[in-house]
Amino acid sequence: MIAIKTEKVQDMMNKAIKICSSESESPLTSLVEVKVEGGYLHITTTDTVINFSIAEKVDSEESMRVVVDAKLLTSLVNKITTPEIRFHINENSLIIEGNGVYYLQIRLDDSGEVITFPDIKETSGEGIDIDFKELNRRLEIAKSSIPTLFDAKEMNNYYLASNIITSDVFKISSIPNIEPLKNMELFIERTLGNAFIALGLEKGKLFYDKETNILTILDTNYTIQSVIGRGRDIYPLNGIMDMISSSYAYNAEINKNELLNLLDRALLFVGDYDKNGINLTFKPDRLTVTSVNAAVKEDIKYGEANVDGLVEFNALVDIKNLKDQLDVLPEEKVIMYFGDNERAIKMVQKDIIQVSAILEED
């Protein structure tokens, strides 16, 4: 029997469950491997892209390995209030002892053996020290332009080089990468980048094997491993960079919070028939926002502006995309670039660039 502090098991499971995926049809993604080996309890999950393992020392030399339902185990340990949880197994079950005794069915493969999880490969070299708090802050901003449901799978990636870049074709985000990664090129799937954020990682060592495309993150008690780079050869990086560097005739400073509040009000009047469209009309002294059905009209005065020669510039944009991109900007003022470009408007806050496509009017 293996005993471990309840709060440690809860922390392990609450991290591990974040890797389980509802996007994959593989049964592995709903399961968790519980293994005791060499005096450590190992909890392992996978979403078929990411393999995640977290370990804690236990005062036992016993060995065991089982696979059980991940959500059930997580829900159970989070409801246990005793100081310790004890694990042992019988023929068919992982037995959990806490406030009571609970039997979780061990999952077997077609041959009657405990289901096998993917192996986590050994790393070599020294690795790169990563401040994940800072990396995740930047990924959170880039996440505003990552697709959620998109047929072109190559777009479902974070591109990391000198900048972190994401795009779903209708919007683009660009923010400088953290220093240790600026001289690398990493093309990581949405689920992996989002996992970094969701897990709340703080520090870790990054290893990248260019021959196998295996990316590994190690810390004292966890390992994250994934094959990366899938779709990089068809990712439209040049086109995205052209949009980021496009020139505009005018720019004006806008209060981000005022614009977000305006968009919240306008969203009440944007229906499905509008296809999320909202009209932005840039005038010499202000931005006028109107709904497609003319039920909303509201103005925001500019701060500093470079609008010499401007009469009026109209842009129909997706209101939800615009809100997503504004929401993640950390400061109050944003500079909006527009004019001489019929494809997009651009929002800049220091070294953060957000591009939002101009929609075609019906």
Side-chain angles (χ1 to χ4, degrees):
M1 184 178 294
I2 294 95
I4 184 169
K5 288 183 178 179
T6 300
E7 61 185 22
K8 285 190 175 181
V9 184
Q10 290 171 343
D11 179 64
M12 293 171 78
M13 285 306 307
N14 288 334
K15 285 186 169 69
I17 196 70
K18 294 180 189 299
I19 305 302
C20 296
S21 171
S22 60
E23 296 182 21
S24 172
E25 296 180 359
S26 170
L28 275 183
T29 65
S30 65
L31 303 176
V32 56
E33 180 188 70
V34 180
K35 180 171 70 174
V36 178
E37 188 177 67
Y40 281 86
L41 169 65
H42 302 264
I43 300 288
T44 301
T45 51
T46 184
D47 72 351
T48 70
V49 174
I50 311 161
N51 299 320
F52 175 80
S53 185
I54 186 166
E56 285 286 351
K57 192 167 180 56
V58 291
D59 188 17
S60 173
E61 293 305 316
E62 291 185 42
S63 294
M64 58 173 270
R65 190 185 79 85
V66 295
V67 171
V68 296
D69 184 277
K71 286 185 179 178
L72 178 56
L73 180 57
T74 304
S75 297
L76 175 61
V77 300
N78 280 324
K79 293 180 186 299
I80 289 177
T81 58
T82 54
E84 281 191 340
I85 291 177
R86 293 178 294 279
F87 294 85
H88 57 108
I89 58 174
N90 64 17
E91 267 188 35
N92 305 311
S93 303
L94 170 65
I95 303 169
I96 307 290
E97 294 186 15
N99 301 88
V101 182
Y102 316 93
Y103 296 81
L104 279 68
Q105 180 186 1
I106 296 173
R107 299 301 184 90
L108 307 176
D109 61 22
D110 292 338
S111 65
E113 299 295 323
V114 175
I115 288 174
T116 302
F117 266 58
D119 288 332
I120 292 180
K121 310 292 191 242
E122 292 288 334
T123 58
S124 59
E126 294 184 1
I128 301 170
D129 289 317
I130 300 296
D131 177 352
F132 273 98
K133 278 190 173 180
E134 184 55 31
L135 177 60
N136 289 346
R137 183 186 72 81
R138 299 175 191 223
L139 290 175
E140 279 273 22
I141 293 169
K143 187 180 175 182
S144 63
S145 294
I146 203 83
T148 51
L149 294 171
F150 207 65
D151 290 337
K153 292 184 178 180
E154 70 276 5
M155 305 305 294
N156 296 325
N157 286 269
Y158 292 85
Y159 175 84
L160 282 72
S162 58
N163 279 40
I164 300 171
I165 292 169
T166 54
S167 176
D168 69 356
V169 177
F170 299 103
K171 55 188 188 292
I172 298 168
S173 294
S174 174
I175 180 170
N177 202 353
I178 61 172
E179 286 298 328
L181 299 181
K182 280 191 170 184
N183 293 323
M184 301 180 71
E185 184 187 62
L186 302 175
F187 194 62
I188 65 175
E189 291 195 31
R190 179 188 74 231
T191 51
L192 180 57
N194 292 352
F196 290 164
I197 299 167
L199 288 166
L201 306 180
E202 294 189 4
K203 302 288 182 182
K205 278 191 177 292
L206 181 147
F207 300 79
Y208 177 49
D209 187 328
K210 289 184 179 180
E211 290 186 7
T212 61
N213 279 331
I214 292 176
L215 179 74
T216 307
I217 309 294
L218 296 178
D219 195 13
T220 52
N221 69 337
Y222 71 80
T223 304
I224 303 170
Q225 192 167 87
S226 179
V227 174
I228 67 170
R230 286 173 283 209
R232 171 64 187 93
D233 55 332
I234 55 174
Y235 188 66
L237 181 62
N238 291 338
I240 290 170
M241 296 305 294
D242 285 345
M243 291 296 294
I244 290 171
S245 60
S246 289
S247 60
Y248 296 80
Y250 313 106
N251 63 78
E253 183 185 79
I254 298 284
N255 184 294
K256 179 197 76 172
N257 294 329
E258 285 184 18
L259 181 52
L260 279 171
N261 290 336
L262 186 163
L263 294 174
D264 276 337
R265 293 187 288 271
L267 195 55
L268 298 173
F269 298 88
V270 176
D272 292 339
Y273 52 86
D274 300 318
K275 298 179 182 177
N276 291 332
I278 194 82
N279 290 305
L280 306 182
T281 303
F282 296 92
K283 299 176 179 178
D285 61 340
R286 66 192 183 278
L287 168 64
T288 299
V289 179
T290 54
S291 60
V292 172
N293 60 11
V296 175
K297 182 180 180 182
E298 196 169 339
D299 293 335
I300 291 183
K301 291 283 188 180
Y302 300 145
E304 294 183 9
N306 296 298
V307 290
D308 289 348
L310 172 65
V311 176
E312 191 171 276
F313 180 80
N314 296 297
L316 177 67
V317 300
D318 185 302
I319 188 171
K320 292 183 178 179
N321 284 350
L322 187 62
K323 271 179 53 61
D324 287 346
Q325 291 185 296
L326 288 167
D327 265 331
V328 297
L329 296 177
E331 298 185 9
E332 188 175 1
K333 304 294 185 182
V334 59
I335 299 173
M336 301 189 77
Y337 287 78
F338 54 93
D340 278 3
N341 189 325
E342 300 298 326
R343 295 189 297 167
I345 60 171
K346 182 163 72 174
M347 294 162 283
V348 177
Q349 198 173 86
K350 292 186 175 176
D351 50 10
I352 302 169
I353 296 173
Q354 302 274 44
V355 179
S356 192
I358 294 176
L359 307 177
E360 293 184 5
E361 298 190 34
D362 293 334

